[in-house]
Amino acid sequence: MNKACLVILLWGCIAGNANAQYSPETYPNEIYTQAKYASKIDSLRKLCGHRKKIPQEFELQTLLAISHYPDLYRARIKFIYRKKVQLPIAARPAMGFLDLFFRFRKGRQYKIVMRTNTPYMLNRTFDQQVGIIGHELAHIQFYRHCSSIGLFRVGFCYLTSRRYRWRFELDTDQRAIDFGFGHQLMRFPIYMYSRDIEAYMKTKGFLK
């Protein structure tokens, strides 16, 4: 990993983890089920569904995940299905000219690109789907703190440095844990191993 990418990574660890909303006393220990939360979808839409384009089959899971991120309640986020993409699901900022150069950070649009009919999502439990989307939203939480130039730098390092990419995803897992998805990731790890998630949660006071 070159020095420039290392600096960007270290800066991202600070900026992206700002404003985590949970203390050890309030940290959620929740197993999300559709049966339990289906009746709350209207209230979730009012809370954090503004400026969102979410496929119906993942709407409740996504709204539950967004509810962990107050900064994203009014963020512009839309899902896009594509048949040929490298990853089964990935969050990224819109890279249009207006988004990068004329919209303030709070006005940017973000995309969650999902591979069409991907078993990675379809074969998971409802709770696991919430955790996966929570990880992707942790990326968006980070991007909202980046300048346009910062987004270009992060994208360049992500594409050119395997070590940066791996460290970046581990940091995103930690950010998702900070925002309340520790138990989801323990039940379905994405990048961090379960034992590392447990150790991290203990250092933060989220797990005894």
Side-chain angles (χ1 to χ4, degrees), residues 132-198:
I132 292 169
I133 295 170
H135 170 94
E136 297 306 322
L137 292 172
H139 282 300
I140 296 176
Q141 174 72 18
F142 170 82
Y143 297 145
R144 280 175 63 83
H145 293 272
C146 292
S147 65
S148 296
I149 294 175
L151 289 176
F152 277 116
R153 289 172 176 169
V154 169
F156 174 79
C157 290
Y158 193 92
L159 293 174
T160 59
S161 171
R162 182 177 296 180
R163 288 184 62 193
Y164 176 90
R165 183 164 59 249
W166 182 250
R167 185 65 252 179
F168 184 81
E169 293 294 352
L170 293 178
D171 288 342
T172 301
D173 266 355
Q174 290 183 352
R175 190 175 308 113
I177 293 169
D178 289 343
F179 279 86
F181 295 97
H183 294 285
Q184 278 73 32
L185 296 186
M186 284 184 67
R187 290 187 285 268
F188 182 71
I190 298 178
Y191 285 93
M192 294 176 70
Y193 292 115
S194 294
R195 63 176 181 272
D196 296 328
I197 295 171
E198 182 178 355

Side-chain angles (χ1 to χ4, degrees), residues 15-29:
N17 283 331
N19 303 320
Q21 64 172 326
Y22 294 107
S23 67
E25 293 74 26
T26 63
Y27 197 80
N29 181 9

Side-chain angles (χ1 to χ4, degrees), residues 12-55:
C13 293
I14 298 171
N17 283 331
N19 303 320
Q21 64 172 326
Y22 294 107
S23 67
E25 293 74 26
T26 63
Y27 197 80
N29 181 9
E30 181 74 35
I31 297 178
Y32 289 110
T33 65
Q34 187 169 10
K36 183 177 179 179
Y37 284 94
S39 63
K40 299 182 180 180
I41 192 166
D42 287 337
S43 60
L44 286 166
R45 285 170 179 157
K46 292 178 181 178
L47 175 69
C48 54
H50 183 64
R51 306 171 85 190
K52 310 294 188 297
K53 294 183 180 179
I54 308 168

Side-chain angles (χ1 to χ4, degrees), residues 6-20:
L6 180 60
V7 169
I8 294 170
L9 179 62
L10 292 175
W11 172 83
C13 293
I14 298 171
N17 283 331
N19 303 320

